[in-house]
């Protein structure tokens, strides 16, 4: 399942996003989540690429600023 084991919401849920943003640098965060997006695409055929992008990567960017959410610099 691609749901959080703690809260049962779709992963990465808000607590997971906060933890990941705190622990990983900007590039590592994007690479880590892209790997999961790629894996999810193979096992979730009913989910569109756009939906996967929104779930796994879109939240890491602040719209228009080019900066990742929750990360310095």
């Amino acid at each position: 399942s691609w749901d959080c084991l703690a809260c049962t919401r779709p992963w990465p849920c808000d607590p997971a996003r906060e933890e990941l943003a705190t622990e990983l640098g900007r590039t590592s965060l994007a690479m880590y989540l892209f790997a999961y997006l790629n894996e999810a695409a193979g096992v979730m055929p009913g989910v569109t690429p756009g939906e996967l992008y929104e779930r796994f990567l879109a939240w890491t960017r602040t719209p228009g600023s080019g900066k990742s959410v929750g990360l310095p610099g």
Side-chain angles (χ1 to χ4, degrees), residues 7-38:
C7 69
T8 69
R9 293 179 58 206
W11 188 91
C13 58
D14 290 339
R17 291 175 180 194
E18 288 181 35
E19 184 177 336
L20 290 167
T22 300
E23 291 180 7
L24 300 173
R26 183 175 299 150
T27 302
S28 295
L29 178 63
M31 291 173 59
Y32 180 79
L33 290 169
F34 182 78
Y36 277 106
L37 180 153
N38 190 43

Side-chain angles (χ1 to χ4, degrees), residues 2 11 13 18 21-22 25 39 46-48 55 57-58 60 68-69 71 73:
W2 284 89
W11 188 91
C13 58
E18 288 181 35
T22 300
E39 184 179 336
V47 181
T48 69
R55 180 172 175 173
L57 293 175
T60 66
S68 296
V69 173
L71 296 174

Side-chain angles (χ1 to χ4, degrees), residues 39-66:
E39 184 179 336
V43 296
M44 298 173 74
V47 181
T48 69
E51 290 170 322
L52 291 172
Y53 173 81
E54 288 296 321
R55 180 172 175 173
F56 289 95
L57 293 175
W59 66 271
T60 66
R61 311 291 295 168
T62 300
S65 74

